[in-house]
Amino acid sequence: MRSKSEVKIVPTACLHDCGGRCPLKGHVKEGVIIRIEGDERYRACLRGRSLRQRVYHPDRLKYPMKRVGARGEGRFERISWDQSLDIIAGELKRVKANHGNSAILYGGSGNAGLLHGGGRAGYRLINMFGGCTTSWGNVSNEGSIFASISTYGTMWTGNTRDDLANSRLLILWGWNPADTIWDTGTSFYLAQAKEAGSRIVCVDPRYTNTTATLATQWIPILPGTDAAMLIAMAYVMIRDNLQDQRFLDTYTIGFDQFRDYVTGVEDGVPKTPQWAEPITGVPAPTIENLAREYATIKPAFLIASWGPGRSAYGEQYHRAAITLAAMTGNVGIHGGNAAGWEWAYASTPDMTRMPVGKNRVLADAPPRKDSLAHPSAPNPSSARIHGSKVWDAILEGKAGGYPVDIKLAYFMGSNPVNQLLNTNKAVEALKKLEFIAVHEQFMSATARFADVLLPVNTFLEREDVGVPWLGAPYYVYANKAIESLYESKSDLEICTELAPRLGIEGYNDKTDEEWLREIVASSNDIPNYEEFKRKGIHRVELEEALVSFKKQIEDPENNPFPTPSGKIEIYSQLLADLNNPEVPPIPKYIEAWEGPRDPLATKYPLQLISTHLKRRVHTQFDNVPWLRDLEPQAVGINSIDAQARGICNGDEVRVFNDLGEMIIRAEVTERIMPGVVHLAEGGVFSPDERGIDRGGCPNIFIRDRHSPGGAYYYNTVLVQVEKI
Ligand SMILES: Nc1nc2c(c(=O)[nH]1)N[C@H]1C(S)=C(S)[C@@H](COP(=O)(O)OP(=O)(O)OC[C@H]3O[C@@H](n4cnc5c(=O)[nH]c(N)nc54)[C@H](O)[C@@H]3O)O[C@H]1N2
Ligand SMILES: Nc1nc2c(c(=O)[nH]1)N[C@H]1C(S)=C(S)[C@@H](COP(=O)(O)OP(=O)(O)OC[C@H]3O[C@@H](n4cnc5c(=O)[nH]c(N)nc54)[C@H](O)[C@@H]3O)O[C@H]1N2
Ligand SMILES: [Mo]
């Protein structure tokens, strides 16, 4: 028997791509993690606690491999690191020489450590090699970014979550933080608000776990119609003169134009609750009530979560929510919320991270014509392709109007085949390329298409630092708990070895620790690197909750909003100048395609939404046995829709539309409204020999277009479900 003293406790953290950054303690014995323990204050979720089953999963990629079967078939043979790096370097040089750097497509996201996350290592390498084609548009929340920048002039619009306890009414619009972690403490603060007697209303097509545990009221709404309900709420406030006119006069421009649209002066259609009822499926009296409550209970927190915004015209929903926050005077005050992009604490963007350098392919191209042309709008180069169009761009190239003919794709830390739109088109597109390199931990749907596939370690096998989303005021230090398993390496190590093969000098002249010391020093918050590393966490004690726009509200003379007018722009001249009726200067309800009134609905009558799952982060953790048994992938369908189709709970059903077909288990439930079905995103694309997906990947159904303002529209799609 070995003694307990041989167990070493390593302070580390979960750095997966959700909003939580949960401190963890790894119990390590003889180089093996035997247990993972959470933190008392920042409690890790089920994923962090089951990390061992992911890290030690038998399917981890173990050594470099090259493809031997047809592309996408998933047959590989082992090669050495030298061989694999020589092949990748040779292909990069060949494509650059023959077609130029723009023929290289690079994509990376993945885990969220400040050093190893975000595909930074690869982007730095490719930029030092001369640049590449990349995509634009934030898959998570481009609609919200668009609305925040055009209305407030900045993305930083949130309050820290400890401020939730100050709200008396909380309207959670398409937000399910009981499952979908945005930062580690949110559920705790929501529970505090509930205990203090605040009203919590959830507006969501699904009766979520958040609704079940926290809400006083559930308002089911048809997907993609949120802007109509918000605008009808504005109608009620205007009709009853409940808006905070002093706030509007002092801090905003364009309310008059908005009022003319809402009351019907502009187009002859008053946007009454009766107008919104058949569009949204929400009874007019329910809309009336919520409007009156939001206008009269102060302070009130309205969050416009990103799920509803990942839809056609999702930008309008976000702009409408911001307008209501302004109409009720809830911007810049404790207990309120600006209803924008949500981040409060602006320290991360200021931190000095490993520079990615300049991408010359992007820099050399003129700005995109339809970008907001605002300094904080991310990288508006016309050489970027919207992420929903990359597969089409590969297939159609310059002949199809794209800026480039892509020949080579290099992916690390992302799984675009599974997670971008129109998966079957992705399959077709990737078959056309001359070469594909992928760095991965597992044989993902994307890894399957690699010509050379390199094994990457996990954050428990390297050092990193993390910051949670939304401005939760703490930092985590993820100490390396174990040596890299098998032959795996970090992306940074791999790129460091590739650099000289590409003739690049000075790619990496620092150790990981030197990079991390630099990152930590630049935070301004962390006084002592050693202590931070030893404890694994640094908390910033705030005197009071941080509230975005507090200065602007308290002293408007000296603190204009960072918009062209210095005010909250309910009417935006920048948008008016785009001269595009689909991106109007005031928020409007624009009916989306693939909704219940689309002619396509006669063939495919069910609206499909795909949400983020408690037990996964996207596709990651899907293979963890402890978690898989908890919530098997299934299509959620209301009992009325199920009965009409003869479907019983647990039956295998066929889900299909013109783009794809799937066989999956049905979960018959009252927890989703009739007419809407649900599949969790991140179901692993697993086509059988007939091409029918058996893994439940919703993206096989979703058209590869995007909303006019750039929002990805994962939640705008019609399907049919039938019993088999
Ligand atoms: N556990 C876990 N946490 C995560 C993630 C994860 O994968 N797992 N992913 C992280 C990432 S990267 C992101 S971007 C965020 C995403 O965070 P969100 O975008 O908030 O997450 P979703 O679950 O997609 O959507 C939230 C809710 O919106 C509802 N909804 C969908 N469509 C509509 C609509 O049209 N109208 C209304 N009113 N409601 C609608 C859904 O039913 C769902 O309950 O979560 C982060 N946190
Ligand atoms: N239908 C639908 N689709 C969606 C969404 C939706 O709501 N509905 N949500 C979208 C959103 S919000 C997001 S953020 C995206 C997420 O899209 P992705 O980030 O592409 O999704 P993941 O499945 O997390 O893929 C990350 C991959 O990186 C690997 N990985 C993890 N760590 C590392 C590392 O250090 N190095 C390397 N090289 N690899 C690593 C993992 O094994 C995993 O396969 O999905 C989008 N897709
Ligand atoms: Mo995301």
Side-chain angles (χ1 to χ4, degrees):
M1 287 289 288
R2 294 182 184 276
S3 71
K4 273 196 169 165
S5 61
E6 286 173 72
V7 175
K8 202 172 75 184
I9 296 187
V10 182
T12 180
C14 185
L15 299 180
H16 276 291
D17 175 31
C18 75
R21 294 288 178 273
C22 300
L24 299 172
K25 291 192 190 83
H27 295 232
V28 181
K29 190 171 172 181
E30 293 171 356
V32 176
I33 304 169
I34 54 165
R35 183 171 167 229
I36 285 189
E37 195 188 350
D39 181 84
E40 281 294 304
R41 175 155 166 191
Y42 300 104
R43 299 178 71 89
C45 82
L46 66 178
R47 293 164 300 158
R49 288 164 196 270
S50 62
L51 266 176
R52 267 192 320 135
Q53 285 208 337
R54 184 170 189 275
V55 172
Y56 291 117
H57 199 287
D59 294 347
R60 274 281 299 270
L61 296 180
K62 300 184 177 63
Y63 29 73
M65 296 194 286
K66 75 169 194 214
R67 171 171 68 86
V68 287
R71 195 179 279 146
E73 200 186 325
R75 286 204 296 130
F76 292 90
E77 78 182 17
R78 180 177 186 167
I79 54 175
S80 70
W81 270 109
D82 276 335
Q83 286 169 310
S84 64
L85 295 174
D86 286 344
I87 299 174
I88 294 176
E91 287 295 313
L92 282 167
K93 286 195 278 196
R94 182 185 64 76
V95 168
K96 176 178 171 157
N98 293 348
H99 308 284
N101 276 85
S102 63
I104 299 167
L105 173 71
Y106 176 75
S109 58
N111 91 86
L114 293 185
L115 176 60
H116 293 288
R120 275 186 105 72
Y123 199 41
R124 175 177 164 87
L125 180 79
I126 300 288
N127 286 346
M128 290 178 88
F129 185 59
C132 58
T133 291
T134 60
S135 61
W136 73 272
N138 187 319
V139 282
S140 311
N141 48 40
E142 187 67 20
S144 178
I145 292 174
F146 176 98
S148 298
I149 290 177
S150 57
T151 321
Y152 287 123
T154 173
M155 289 155 68
W156 306 94
T157 60
N159 304 348
T160 47
R161 286 297 173 243
D162 45 342
D163 194 52
L164 288 172
N166 296 322
S167 303
R168 293 189 49 226
L169 167 70
L170 299 99
I171 306 175
L172 315 187
W173 209 291
W175 197 41
N176 179 23
D179 290 353
T180 316
I181 310 296
W182 280 32
D183 82 335
T184 314
T186 296
S187 289
F188 171 73
Y189 293 117
L190 282 172
Q192 274 194 331
K194 185 183 165 73
E195 270 176 25
S198 304
R199 248 179 94 58
I200 302 183
V201 181
C202 290
V203 186
D204 198 306
R206 297 185 311 137
Y207 186 85
T208 61
N209 285 338
T210 307
T211 310
T213 50
L214 293 169
T216 357
Q217 186 185 7
W218 173 40
I219 303 179
I221 185 168
L222 286 169
T225 66
D226 303 277
M229 175 159 165
L230 290 160
I231 287 166
M233 286 167 66
Y235 178 91
V236 174
M237 292 179 197
I238 293 167
R239 185 198 62 200
D240 297 350
N241 204 20
L242 296 174
Q243 76 275 16
D244 186 338
Q245 196 61 46
R246 190 200 61 85
F247 186 97
L248 290 168
D249 293 342
T250 316
Y251 304 108
T252 73
I253 57 162
F255 179 67
D256 293 349
Q257 285 100 320
F258 180 66
R259 185 180 48 211
D260 285 351
Y261 163 72
V262 172
T263 54
V265 171
E266 184 193 307
D267 58 1
V269 183
K271 313 298 177 305
T272 62
Q274 290 72 22
W275 163 82
E277 179 174 312
I279 298 173
T280 57
V282 183
T286 308
I287 301 176
E288 290 260 353
N289 276 343
L290 190 63
R292 273 203 221 95
E293 284 178 346
Y294 188 33
T296 54
I297 302 179
K298 296 230 160 127
F301 167 95
L302 165 66
I303 181 168
S305 172
W306 306 328
R310 283 196 295 277
S311 61
Y313 308 111
E315 305 90 17
Q316 300 306 315
Y317 145 74
H318 285 291
R319 292 254 296 143
I322 293 174
T323 302
L324 278 195
M327 285 175 70
T328 55
N330 275 305
V331 180
I333 59 167
H334 283 287
N337 193 36
W341 185 62
E342 289 303 324
W343 251 263
Y345 196 54
S347 74
T348 337
D350 296 337
M351 286 167 79
T352 313
R353 298 169 65 181
M354 180 177 68
V356 293
K358 193 176 209 169
N359 182 345
R360 287 213 297 275
V361 172
L362 302 189
D364 292 348
R368 212 175 62 234
K369 280 204 199 70
D370 61 353
S371 90
L372 290 181
H374 187 278
S376 55
N379 264 331
S381 168
S382 59
R384 278 180 182 255
I385 296 166
H386 191 274
S388 64
K389 304 301 287 181
V390 290
W391 311 132
D392 202 57
I394 292 173
L395 289 168
E396 305 299 330
K398 283 185 186 153
Y402 291 98
V404 64
D405 289 319
I406 295 165
K407 303 289 179 192
L408 181 155
Y410 201 159
F411 299 121
M412 60 185 81
S414 64
N415 188 359
V417 170
N418 211 98
Q419 293 304 102
L420 291 183
L421 305 151
N422 202 347
T423 310
N424 289 312
K425 194 183 256 191
V427 167
E428 208 190 318
L430 291 184
K431 285 186 179 156
K432 192 185 162 196
L433 290 178
E434 291 179 6
F435 184 74
I436 302 173
V438 178
H439 299 187
E440 250 299 348
Q441 295 162 338
F442 289 96
M443 187 60 77
S444 69
T446 306
R448 214 163 260 286
F449 283 84
D451 296 312
V452 172
L453 178 53
L454 303 180
V456 177
N457 59 13
T458 70
F459 49 74
L460 293 172
E461 298 152 66
R462 61 198 186 212
E463 304 266 307
D464 215 331
V465 165
V467 192
W469 287 5
L470 303 184
Y474 70 92
Y475 300 76
V476 287
Y477 194 107
N479 279 285
K480 174 170 156 178
I482 52 171
E483 292 304 319
S484 290
L485 293 180
Y486 320 109
E487 286 191 17
S488 69
K489 298 175 194 268
S490 73
D491 297 303
L492 183 54
E493 279 177 276
I494 298 171
C495 292
T496 303
E497 290 177 30
L498 261 177
R501 290 172 160 90
L502 295 171
I504 296 169
E505 279 173 30
Y507 170 76
N508 185 6
D509 50 7
K510 292 188 180 62
T511 61
D512 283 10
E513 180 175 342
E514 283 165 342
W515 283 118
L516 289 170
R517 277 182 186 274
E518 245 184 57
I519 293 171
V520 168
S522 70
S523 79
N524 292 327
D525 281 329
I526 307 168
N528 184 323
Y529 175 85
E530 268 76 25
E531 191 186 329
F532 175 41
K533 180 170 159 59
R534 185 164 47 75
K535 289 191 177 155
I537 182 157
H538 177 79
R539 296 191 181 94
V540 182
E541 296 303 337
L542 299 173
E543 277 169 29
E544 56 170 19
L546 288 179
V547 171
S548 288
F549 307 126
K550 203 162 177 242
K551 279 194 325 226
Q552 280 82 354
I553 299 305
E554 287 175 356
D555 179 10
E557 290 295 302
N558 295 309
N559 299 289
F561 282 86
T563 53
S565 66
K567 307 263 177 153
I568 301 170
E569 300 203 339
I570 297 173
Y571 181 96
S572 159
Q573 192 58 46
L574 281 176
L575 297 187
D577 292 345
L578 294 178
N579 213 1
N580 176 355
E582 293 194 303
V583 195
I586 51 165
K588 287 188 172 174
Y589 171 66
I590 306 175
E591 186 168 339
W593 55 90
E594 294 207 40
R597 302 204 284 199
D598 187 317
L600 197 65
T602 51
K603 222 166 140 196
Y604 304 117
L606 298 167
Q607 287 185 271
L608 170 69
I609 54 173
S610 50
T611 64
H612 292 235
L613 196 60
K614 181 170 63 188
R615 71 161 167 101
R616 278 199 301 252
V617 55
H618 318 306
T619 59
Q620 302 183 67
F621 289 90
D622 190 61
N623 55 6
V624 166
W626 283 342
L627 303 183
R628 193 171 249 260
D629 297 344
L630 276 181
E631 260 182 324
Q633 186 76 353
V635 59
I637 181 166
N638 183 279
S639 50
I640 295 173
D641 294 321
Q643 217 167 25
R645 291 165 175 77
I647 294 167
C648 297
N649 192 30
D651 282 354
E652 289 227 306
V653 294
R654 183 169 162 256
V655 187
F656 60 100
N657 69 8
D658 288 339
L659 299 189
E661 188 175 346
M662 164 189 305
I663 292 176
I664 191 90
R665 208 178 58 88
E667 187 190 332
V668 178
T669 174
E670 306 296 325
R671 291 180 64 163
I672 188 159
M673 68 192 291
V676 185
V677 289
H678 167 248
L679 264 171
E681 65 107 45
V684 174
F685 177 57
S686 315
D688 65 14
E689 61 292 343
R690 290 178 298 159
I692 300 172
D693 179 31
R694 301 291 184 136
C697 172
N699 291 321
I700 65 169
F701 299 123
I702 309 176
R703 229 162 275 280
D704 47 328
R705 283 175 57 189
H706 62 86
S707 187
Y712 285 67
Y713 58 79
Y714 291 109
N715 290 320
T716 305
V717 51
L718 290 169
V719 297
Q720 178 58 297
V721 178
E722 66 179 28
K723 194 176 158 74
I724 31 177

